[in-house]
Every structure is written in structure tokens, then in C-alpha cells.
Amino acid sequence: MSFELAELLTPAGLADPYAVHARWRAERATGADPGRLLFDAEEVAAVLTDATWSSDRVPSLLRPLEHRDRYAVLEETLRSITAFADPPDHTRIRRVMARTFTPRAVRAMAPAVTAIAEAEVGRFVADGPGDVVARLTYPLPALVISSLLGIPAADRHRFGDWALAIVYLVGAGRADVAHAERARDAMAEMHEYLAALVARRRADPGDDLLSSMIASSDTDESDGSGGAGGADDRAGLSVVELHANALFLMVAGHETATNQLSNALITLCRDPVEAARVRDGSCDLDRAVEELLRYEPAVQFTARLARDDRLVGTTPVAAGQSVVLALGAANRDPARFVDPGRLDLDREPAPNLTFARGAHHCLGAALARLELRTVLPTLLRAAPGIGLGDDEVAWQPTLDFRGPEKLDLTW
């Protein structure tokens, strides 16, 4: 069929998904029907901003699994994450976390992020050419988000492992037993670890997001029983929600930030002229960051479920069915972006969909932009001759998330 998502997991699809997206557009122009796959910017944005669609897509993700009762902890944890919640639970959970990610709060983080970036880049360059993922773009966001959360340095790698288990489960688009069992075991370990850490933070609070989340849960206007299904949106967080969203912040603030930094480096290494402009400051850095986010986004797909029977364009969508939203394709929609396949760091700003839109707009978007603005020029100045060690990038074999498994750089 013309619109098979599985094509994106082939070697050619992983190397260049945007060629597949362009063919989708060409085939739809001839009358082919993409069904419940949406890839034009306007239609994707319309669904993202329409609160009548549901984000509670965990049951459909896990539906292929037999013996679902074996994955009860995994399902409860995933459904407690704000990204998979609907109001009032989404409103309540997001309110607790949003205070840390206001523009003012992120601006206050800039000196700490700069210090971390300079130290980590200096260490990477001093050790010589090699895998930038393992040595820089993976550990650096972990340092930032775990410091923000208040995770002890010795335990940061554990969150990275747990987060990766979630990335490979959700990113596959359809659960299989191997990924589900890995994620289930990771969730069990995570709950055990966080129960002890939360107890310590409750007894001795720190100046960190986890302590703030605990305080909000302990002092808000109900017992925070939470759970998918209708707590008051002024309540605090349940134990499972507290644990699940601490992990979610590590996934969003670590795994996706790692991929976004890595993707930006791939893009700039393939375009040394534009890389030189970032290095020497001859372009508007904020505009350049927006273009890098548009051009090669770390999150490629999301989905929404219909609450009732409806039409999307001319396609009937039954209650409970999902529409698949191709964010990466929408970011290269020629109806919104002139010559969308060309990297243009001077591009006139046009809203991209890398951080989604509406109620589920990425909480950490400002922090992700700060990391890109800080790390990219710092690394390009420290290693001005930087380039790819291998033209063939080893991309993660996932649909939803895009980033390299490893990335050798030379200079």
C-alpha cells in the first residue's frame, strides 16, 4: 500500500523519512487516500488543538499483547503520564509541573546549563574524535534534567536506562512482548527506587523539581488519589503519578533532548557553510535553532483517539479509532514552508510542530531550545573542523522518535 508506516523502518526509510513523506503528498495529489494518516501542517495542527480528541492511547498501544494482566504496572504507569492523560487528570498533573518550566524559570537556568555545556564539551573535545552520542549528547541532557529533578549523580544512568525502555516501547508504534517486558521490568525498578527517594525528599526537601512535585501533592486540595478517570483538577499527584511523571521528565528532557542535539549536529555537519555561521555568530541563533528543530525533529509522530464517530476530511473515524499525526512530515509541508527540504537558518519564522501544539505542547520546549542555543555554538567553536566520521548514520529503529544510536564525529 502507498501509505505504509512500516516503510519508515526500512534502511531507506530510516535514512531519509522525508523522501517517503514527499511521496505520500505526491500520491495523495493523484487521488490516493492516506486514511487516518495526517501529514499536512494545517490538518495536524487542527487535531492537536482540538480538545475533543483524546490522548489516552495507552490501551491501543498495548492491545496487541496477550495476557494484558501481566503488564498492569506498565499500563498504570503509562496512563499516569501527562502526555497520555486527558482532562481533568492532564490539567492537574501539568499544573504541578508547569511552574518549573515558565520562560522566566528557564532563563534562570541558563548559567547552570552554560556551565554544564562548557565542561562537557571541553571534556569531549579533549578526549578526541569519537561517538558524540555516548560522550556528549546523551550525558549532557541527563546532567541538566537530573539536576533539575534532584536525582543523585550516581543514579542518573538508571533513569537513562528506564527512559530508553519507554522510548523503544512507545516509539515502535505497536507493542511487542520483548519491548513490553523490558518496559514492565523497568517500571517496577523505577517505582521501587523512587519510593525510597521520595521518602527522603519528603523528610528533607531540596530546591529541586521532585521536591516541588512532592510538596504540591502533599498540600493541594485533595488526597491526590489521581489515576486515569477523574480526580479534581486541583488535587495533587498520586504516588504512581508522581513516579511516572518524574520518569516522563527524564524521557522528554533526556532522550528527546539527546536526539534533538544529535540531529542538529548531523544537519550542521552535512552543511558546513551553515555550521560556520552558527560557530562565528553570523546568523540569528534563535532563528537558527527554530530551523534546526523544524528540519530534523526528534519526535516524528504522535496520535489522537476519536471520542465519537466523526469525519477527518472525507475519512470516517469511528469512536476509539486513532489518527496518526506525522509531525516530521508536517514540518516539511510546502504549503507552510518555502522549499521545505532546504536548510535555511535565516528562514522567516513559521510555527513548526516539533513540540506539538495545544494542551499537550511540550512543557520543556524552552529548556530544549536553551540547550541547543548553548551546546551547538560551544561545540562548533571548540572543534571548528567538525564533521561526520561516517556518512551512513545508524538511526534508532523507531517510528515516533528519531535520533542516531551512535554518531562518530571527526575534526
Side-chain angles (χ1 to χ4, degrees), residues 171-305:
R174 187 176 178 86
D176 61 39
V177 170
H179 285 138
E181 289 185 348
R182 178 185 178 189
R184 177 197 61 196
D185 295 345
M187 294 306 92
E189 292 177 9
M190 179 271 293
H191 284 297
E192 182 179 2
Y193 171 85
L194 278 174
L197 181 60
V198 167
R200 295 200 300 271
R201 286 287 185 274
R202 183 171 278 120
D204 184 20
D207 185 20
D208 55 70
L209 177 54
L210 185 59
S211 295
S212 175
M213 291 166 69
I214 294 166
S216 295
S217 298
D218 289 349
T219 60
D220 274 334
E221 296 183 28
S222 87
D223 63 2
S225 56
D232 189 298
D233 66 10
R234 296 169 297 173
L237 306 184
S238 71
V239 170
V240 173
E241 288 170 341
L242 183 60
H243 294 180
N245 286 285
L247 179 68
F248 169 67
L249 289 172
M250 287 298 293
V251 173
H254 181 198
E255 291 297 328
T256 56
T258 289
N259 288 342
Q260 199 63 69
L261 284 168
S262 300
N263 293 355
L265 285 171
I266 292 169
T267 300
L268 291 173
C269 285
R270 288 174 170 170
D271 194 333
V273 173
E274 295 287 59
R277 298 182 64 216
V278 173
R279 182 184 66 242
D280 63 25
S282 63
C283 63
D284 182 301
L285 189 55
D286 288 336
R287 184 173 290 190
V289 163
E290 290 308 301
E291 174 69 350
L292 291 165
L293 287 165
R294 178 198 72 84
Y295 190 82
E296 191 69 274
V299 179
Q300 292 277 317
F301 287 94
T302 188
R304 294 292 185 268
L305 274 69

Side-chain angles (χ1 to χ4, degrees), residues 2-268:
S2 300
F3 301 97
E4 289 289 344
L5 293 179
E7 183 180 355
L8 295 169
L9 294 175
T10 66
L14 289 170
D16 187 5
Y18 309 105
V20 178
H21 304 162
R23 198 189 70 243
W24 289 348
R25 284 198 171 85
E27 293 189 1
R28 188 173 70 174
T30 68
D33 182 7
R36 291 181 284 118
L37 171 63
L38 307 183
F39 45 81
D40 285 355
E42 183 176 356
E43 61 188 5
V44 170
V47 172
L48 289 173
T49 54
D50 184 347
T52 67
W53 290 90
S54 172
S55 292
D56 185 13
R57 54 195 185 275
V58 174
S60 61
L61 172 71
L62 300 180
R63 189 172 294 126
L65 298 172
E66 296 182 356
H67 309 295
R68 282 272 296 282
D69 56 305
R70 297 178 183 175
Y71 307 97
V73 171
L74 172 61
E75 181 165 357
E76 182 184 23
T77 303
L78 290 176
R79 296 190 74 185
S80 297
I81 290 174
T82 181
F84 299 128
D86 292 327
D89 292 311
H90 173 265
T91 308
R92 172 175 51 82
I93 296 167
R94 188 177 175 101
R95 177 186 54 77
V96 171
M97 299 190 296
R99 302 163 185 165
T100 301
F101 295 99
T102 63
R104 180 178 180 181
V106 171
R107 284 194 298 271
M109 300 176 200
V113 173
T114 299
I116 291 171
E118 290 176 347
E120 293 301 304
V121 166
R123 185 176 296 111
F124 172 69
V125 173
D127 288 344
D131 183 4
V132 73
V133 175
R135 290 168 40 197
L136 180 63
T137 63
Y138 185 80
L140 189 150
L143 288 171
V144 173
I145 194 65
S146 58
S147 297
L148 183 62
L149 272 167
I151 305 299
D155 296 334
R156 288 168 184 163
H157 71 283
R158 302 184 69 183
F159 273 83
D161 292 342
W162 298 330
L164 199 59
I166 295 298
V167 164
Y168 276 86
L169 173 69
V170 175
R174 187 176 178 86
D176 61 39
V177 170
H179 285 138
E181 289 185 348
R182 178 185 178 189
R184 177 197 61 196
D185 295 345
M187 294 306 92
E189 292 177 9
M190 179 271 293
H191 284 297
E192 182 179 2
Y193 171 85
L194 278 174
L197 181 60
V198 167
R200 295 200 300 271
R201 286 287 185 274
R202 183 171 278 120
D204 184 20
D207 185 20
D208 55 70
L209 177 54
L210 185 59
S211 295
S212 175
M213 291 166 69
I214 294 166
S216 295
S217 298
D218 289 349
T219 60
D220 274 334
E221 296 183 28
S222 87
D223 63 2
S225 56
D232 189 298
D233 66 10
R234 296 169 297 173
L237 306 184
S238 71
V239 170
V240 173
E241 288 170 341
L242 183 60
H243 294 180
N245 286 285
L247 179 68
F248 169 67
L249 289 172
M250 287 298 293
V251 173
H254 181 198
E255 291 297 328
T256 56
T258 289
N259 288 342
Q260 199 63 69
L261 284 168
S262 300
N263 293 355
L265 285 171
I266 292 169
T267 300
L268 291 173

Side-chain angles (χ1 to χ4, degrees), residues 291 294-295 330-350:
E291 174 69 350
R294 178 198 72 84
Y295 190 82
N331 275 355
R332 296 203 186 192
D333 182 354
R336 175 167 293 191
F337 303 99
V338 176
D339 195 4
R342 181 173 65 90
L343 180 72
D344 178 7
L345 300 188
D346 296 320
R347 186 180 295 276
E348 287 292 328

